[in-house]
Amino acid sequence: MMRLIVALFGMLIASFGAFGLIRPADFVGLVRHFWATSRGAHYAAALRLALGLALLLAAADSAYPRTLTALGYLSIAGAVIILLLGHVRLAKIIEWWAQQPETAVRLWGFLALAVGIFLIAAVR
């Protein structure tokens, strides 16, 4: 069951990555909209926590158990950092990110696409 959840997260991450790669301006608008309220930060923290736990639980049955374990702990740490930074600081970071050149946004999209595909392949 955890492998399926990780694969679904992988598809979600890959989809967002492809969107950022193909339509960077629209992707930036989506990200800005998501982080416009403190609710977005809470959702992001909850999703990172869920992904981290799923990665840790699925790691043993995966093709790359050490890598998935490390990514699981990084995801949980990311959830904690999101909560510690708070909405105001995160909104400033997102605004800074949104001002980056289109090429930088596409690179982040490519990275997300690659990570999503890796997660899917790791739990096949």
Side-chain angles (χ1 to χ4, degrees):
M1 179 65 168
M2 284 301 126
R3 290 172 47 195
L4 174 63
I5 292 171
V6 170
L8 290 172
F9 268 113
M11 286 189 275
L12 181 67
I13 293 166
S15 298
F16 278 118
F19 182 50
L21 190 59
I22 296 167
R23 310 266 319 243
D26 292 336
F27 182 67
V28 167
L30 178 71
V31 171
R32 276 182 168 150
H33 178 73
F34 180 81
W35 291 97
T37 66
S38 61
R39 186 177 288 170
H42 292 114
Y43 287 147
L47 285 171
R48 280 192 180 258
L49 181 61
L51 173 60
L53 293 173
L55 286 168
L56 292 176
L57 294 171
D61 295 331
S62 74
Y64 306 99
R66 285 193 217 157
T67 304
L68 290 191
T69 299
L71 290 174
Y73 285 123
L74 284 173
S75 185
I76 292 169
V80 172
I81 290 168
I82 286 171
L83 293 174
L84 290 176
L85 284 175
H87 173 259
V88 173
R89 287 187 193 129
L90 286 169
K92 290 178 183 177
I93 293 169
I94 294 301
E95 197 51 42
W96 169 83
W97 172 81
Q99 300 302 319
Q100 300 308 304
E102 187 176 278
T103 304
V105 176
R106 286 183 193 269
L107 285 172
W108 279 108
F110 179 75
L111 179 64
L113 178 62
V115 168
I117 291 170
F118 171 77
L119 291 178
I120 295 166
V123 295
R124 273 182 80 204

